[in-house]
Amino acid sequence: MSEVLEHPSDRLLAAVRQLLTDKGVITREEIAERIRTTDSASSAQGARMVARAWLDPAYRARMLADGAKAAEELGIPMRGMPPLGVLEDTAGEHNLVVCTLCSCYPRAVLGYPPFWFKSAAYRARAVRDPRGLLREFGTELPQGVKLRVVDSTADYRWMVLPLRPAGTEGWSEEQLAAVVREGDMIGVTFPKVS
Amino acid sequence: MSALLSPGTKVRVRDDWPETRGPCHIRTPHYLRGAEGVVEKHLGAFPNPEDLAFARPAASLNLYHVRFVPKAIWPDAAGEALVVELYETWLEAAR
């Protein structure tokens, strides 16, 4: 990096990194691996899991039993990540995820959280007025569908496994993954076929 | 760790406010203190975050998914179920 572009925090980062490796707290390879993991995390990873679960009932069962193992099965790095729980939407019940205490989010499979997920308004309203909140996202629950709000307060991270939308019969896994957005796996929206 | 609570067990979240007594780190939301719910699932055992946050030795605690009725917490609430991760030390037998 040239002298002109170097920021004081870059030198601080280099110094901390040097200390961590000199003292044997962590190796350079481990730091590089974690940077790769963070950079590769996005909601496209979670979408791949959802699409696979829609097509493969055995994978679906494994994903509901242990989300982290199911993610690793698709090559998504989960080492050092919190356990991943998967909330299954059914014809009669829809799940919505919030972290009222802070911003717990399944980053390994959904990437960085959207800005509103951390807002006080979302966190307060998701537990108390979730139907009003869903309406503002343009989501109307069908008549008779129960709403189950999951407040992510502790060691787990949670993602929603939404229902497969109508009009996707015969689609490939890649086509299906392309219609699954981050909001669908938080539970504020449903996957839509345009 | 205490004996495992089975799904369906009625529990009450302790009506305790450690934050009024000094610095602490709590993963039990305010709105649930004193609320009654039902154990849905045992999620495993994890080191107590209330100690981890202060770099103290942390005992392993059972963690549960506990289901609450939102209207019992806020009369104007919408939604049929509210499910929250809670550690065993915050749960007592429902009255």
Side-chain angles (χ1 to χ4, degrees):
Chain A
M1 191 179 285
S2 80
E3 195 68 43
V4 182
L5 290 175
E6 193 176 40
H7 191 270
S9 63
D10 291 329
R11 289 203 293 276
L12 179 63
L13 175 64
V16 170
R17 197 184 285 210
Q18 189 71 45
L19 272 173
L20 288 171
T21 51
D22 286 354
K23 288 178 176 289
V25 176
I26 190 169
T27 65
R28 288 187 180 281
E29 289 70 31
E30 285 168 329
I31 294 173
E33 188 199 330
R34 180 47 65 93
I35 291 172
R36 271 198 306 278
T37 304
T38 306
D39 286 348
S40 70
S42 85
S43 59
Q45 302 282 41
R48 284 167 59 212
M49 295 172 69
V50 170
R52 175 70 61 92
W54 284 343
L55 291 175
D56 180 350
Y59 181 80
R60 180 188 191 90
R62 291 198 295 279
M63 180 170 160
L64 291 171
D66 187 334
K69 267 193 201 157
E72 282 178 335
E73 220 180 288
L74 299 191
I76 302 166
M78 298 298 286
R79 194 167 148 243
M81 297 292 180
L84 174 66
V86 179
L87 307 163
E88 182 185 33
D89 271 12
T90 64
E93 191 172 57
H94 173 63
N95 291 279
L96 174 70
V97 181
V98 62
C99 172
T100 59
L101 294 178
C102 47
S103 57
C104 296
Y105 194 72
R107 291 181 182 226
V109 292
L110 294 190
Y112 288 104
F115 72 93
W116 48 260
F117 189 80
K118 301 190 216 174
S119 70
Y122 178 79
R123 286 155 52 200
R125 291 186 60 206
V127 283
R128 187 162 177 165
D129 178 27
R131 286 182 197 275
L133 186 140
L134 288 184
R135 269 193 297 276
E136 285 172 32
F137 277 93
T139 302
E140 283 286 347
L141 289 189
Q143 197 75 34
V145 173
K146 290 182 177 167
L147 181 54
R148 182 171 178 267
V149 178
V150 174
D151 187 358
S152 178
T153 51
D155 290 87
Y156 270 70
R157 300 295 177 268
W158 301 98
M159 68 177 277
V160 175
L161 171 53
L163 291 175
R164 180 173 171 171
T168 58
E169 293 73 20
W171 282 26
S172 71
E173 197 169 309
E174 288 72 24
Q175 284 174 300
L176 289 170
V179 299
V180 183
R181 299 156 301 170
E182 67 182 359
D184 306 338
M185 293 176 280
I186 299 170
V188 291
T189 49
F190 295 131
K192 278 192 188 70
V193 178
S194 48
Chain B
M1 286 193 289
S2 312
L4 277 188
L5 300 173
S6 44
T9 306
K10 286 184 183 167
V11 291
R12 180 174 183 267
V13 180
R14 284 197 299 113
D15 192 3
D16 189 21
W17 300 82
E19 53 271 69
T20 62
R21 300 193 291 270
C24 56
H25 175 78
I26 304 168
R27 304 303 307 176
T28 301
H30 291 182
Y31 67 79
L32 285 179
R33 312 279 172 87
E36 291 195 359
V38 175
V39 171
E40 197 169 79
K41 194 183 176 187
H42 178 240
L43 294 171
F46 298 90
N48 187 354
E50 299 180 12
D51 289 320
L52 278 185
F54 293 92
R56 298 189 293 246
S60 209
L61 298 179
N62 284 311
L63 182 69
Y64 296 96
H65 243 178
V66 181
R67 191 174 63 247
F68 299 87
V69 176
K71 274 196 197 315
I73 301 169
W74 303 287
D76 62 345
E80 284 69 34
L82 177 55
V83 181
V84 186
E85 283 157 82
L86 294 168
Y87 298 93
E88 60 180 334
T89 46
W90 276 92
L91 302 175
E92 57 190 20
R95 285 168 183 173

